[in-house]
Amino acid sequence: MEIGIAFDLKADHATRSGEPDDRYEEFDSIETVEGVERALVRGGHTTRRLGGGRRFLESVLARPCELVFNLAEGFGSRSREAHVPAVLELLRIPYTHSDPLTLAATLDKAVAKRLVASHGIATPRFRVVESIDAAKAIDLEFPLFAKPLFEGSSIGVRKRSRVANADELVVRAGELLADYGEPVLVEEYCSGPEFTVGILGNGAKARVLGVMEVVPKLVPREEFVYSLEVKRSDDWRNEIDLHVPPRRPAEFVARIADLALMSFRALECRDLARIDLRCDARGEPRFLEANPLPGIRPGWSDLALLCELAHFEYDDLILGVVDAARERWGL
Ligand SMILES: Nc1ncnc2c1ncn2[C@@H]1O[C@H](COP(=O)(O)OP(=O)(O)OP(=O)(O)O)[C@@H](O)[C@H]1O
Ligand SMILES: [Mg+2]
């Protein structure tokens, strides 16, 4: 079938002066689009680049496609990831990945946390802070973690996101409020092991592709942050090890996988998602956040690395997403 690819490229968004240098970190590189195209063509499909924003709109209005493979992060608000699927629903064009409601609800991390908590899934206690005064008045136990409320791709997540006391929190919250112009999520810091879980498919067929543990090599785990500094580092392999499956008892790994699957279902994710979890100081796993449009740059993104380590072919990942979407849409 002809599959259109919706995407926003980092290269199309130059950082302006005064903006933090990670402002457009969530956007894709052309390698992702090329990787998806290659896989789709190998699967017997033809592809069409739709891009994002107005270019995407004009392209689908000029000529619809049979299915859109959605990579578009959108631009401008906490509902930005919902823009492309909302337009496609308006035009009755089938698309891959989650629907607008799930994409918007998960981008706002506090909304996602409330939703999973209402399904009995544990997540760190938190407050949403919109001013320095609110940061000063926080009533949670330190250490805490401060991050922008509705960003991903580690935007605004740094080593100094972990704050040990009220003074550090006020400084970090002030920086985040000024840099990103959005509320700050302040939550309890989980000092235990960290996991990310890839999930493919829907309903009873939703399957865990693998559980990956991110193991810090240079800093003690109690201080580790899987931050932009680590993710952008050329020699990240010196800073972390990635274990798929984690070198832990099988029952524990199964528990992490189950929690991720429960979160996927609680948030009504579709086709593909990556769920991040981390254990608290007592070793109890906690939901951190869900990524229903996970990065899939070959050889680079966490999910692509997870699949490599799980011996799950990249092409099978992309074609698996298409198959899951086709089944949902009856195509
Ligand atoms: N409450 C917390 N306790 C401990 N570490 C945390 C907490 N929240 C975030 N982190 C650390 O910061 C990292 C990034 O946080 P998070 O996953 O929320 O941000 P993101 O930008 O959405 O990530 P991604 O790059 O997966 O899109 C986590 O992988 C983890 O290492
Ligand atoms: Mg994350």
Side-chain angles (χ1 to χ4, degrees):
M1 66 190 330
E2 190 199 46
I3 303 182
I5 306 174
F7 56 89
D8 292 294
L9 288 187
K10 230 178 257 170
D12 293 339
H13 294 275
T15 311
R16 275 165 270 161
S17 76
E19 283 182 333
D21 69 346
D22 60 2
R23 193 73 201 97
Y24 304 116
E25 194 64 30
E26 66 191 332
F27 294 137
D28 273 307
S29 25
I30 195 68
E31 286 82 359
T32 308
V33 179
E34 289 168 353
V36 170
E37 279 172 342
R38 254 194 316 272
L40 294 176
V41 168
R42 284 194 193 130
H45 302 289
T46 55
T47 62
R48 189 172 131 208
R49 290 188 186 187
L50 304 172
R54 273 179 188 281
R55 205 185 119 202
F56 156 81
L57 259 185
E58 281 157 15
S59 185
V60 283
L61 281 173
R63 188 165 61 86
C65 348
E66 288 178 85
L67 178 75
V68 170
F69 195 102
N70 184 23
L71 297 169
E73 299 283 343
F75 189 74
S77 76
R78 69 173 175 173
S79 307
R80 60 190 181 271
E81 288 187 359
H83 292 169
V84 157
V87 165
L88 293 170
E89 289 193 357
L90 183 75
L91 299 175
R92 300 186 190 218
I93 299 174
Y95 58 89
T96 64
H97 295 73
S98 297
D99 77 352
L101 181 63
T102 293
L103 291 172
T106 52
L107 195 56
D108 185 317
K109 288 180 173 150
V111 173
K113 283 160 67 71
R114 289 190 193 103
L115 281 171
V116 297
S118 74
H119 285 252
I121 300 161
T123 183
R125 293 175 64 211
F126 70 100
R127 302 280 180 266
V128 174
V129 160
E130 299 194 47
S131 67
I132 304 265
D133 282 345
K136 280 184 189 152
I138 209 102
D139 56 345
L140 298 172
E141 222 172 282
F142 288 92
L144 296 171
F145 198 86
K147 56 189 172 186
L149 183 60
F150 39 83
E151 301 300 333
S153 309
S154 296
I155 293 171
V157 174
R158 295 289 194 284
K159 286 176 192 151
R160 62 183 189 283
S161 303
R162 176 187 177 278
V163 288
N165 53 51
D167 289 344
E168 283 182 19
L169 172 62
V170 167
V171 171
R172 188 62 193 136
E175 286 171 351
L176 289 172
L177 288 167
D179 280 351
Y180 301 97
E182 68 189 71
V184 176
L185 180 73
V186 179
E187 61 180 6
E188 291 170 340
Y189 177 77
C190 296
S191 58
E194 166 155 2
F195 306 92
T196 192
V197 184
I199 298 174
L200 174 69
N202 296 304
K205 284 199 207 155
R207 56 174 286 210
V208 170
L209 294 168
V211 176
M212 180 162 85
E213 181 170 351
V214 182
V215 184
K217 288 161 77 173
L218 299 181
V219 292
R221 173 180 296 128
E222 303 74 51
E223 290 166 24
F224 176 66
V225 177
Y226 193 20
S227 63
L228 200 63
E229 291 112 323
V230 177
K231 293 180 190 181
R232 267 190 188 172
S233 162
D234 286 334
D235 60 356
W236 59 267
R237 283 176 204 274
N238 286 330
E239 300 201 31
I240 51 163
D241 276 327
L242 299 175
H243 294 167
V244 182
R247 295 175 191 168
R248 299 190 178 271
E251 314 82 73
F252 179 76
V253 176
R255 200 171 149 216
I256 300 290
D258 277 352
L259 277 172
L261 209 46
M262 280 170 66
S263 307
F264 183 93
R265 293 190 168 126
L267 297 165
E268 299 186 37
C269 296
R270 303 277 179 260
D271 304 342
L272 183 70
R274 221 194 71 230
I275 311 287
D276 291 346
L277 303 116
R278 189 163 178 180
C279 294
D280 64 14
R282 290 176 304 126
E284 287 300 313
R286 304 274 178 248
F287 167 93
L288 288 187
E289 59 126 10
N291 303 280
L293 274 185
I296 47 173
R297 177 167 162 191
W300 170 275
S301 299
D302 281 328
L303 185 59
L305 298 171
L306 183 157
C307 287
E308 267 178 36
L309 293 166
H311 306 293
F312 192 81
E313 290 291 325
Y314 185 82
D315 291 1
D316 293 337
L317 175 71
I318 303 306
L319 296 170
V321 170
V322 169
D323 287 346
R326 286 177 80 168
E327 195 172 331
R328 278 192 300 114
W329 294 92
L331 292 171

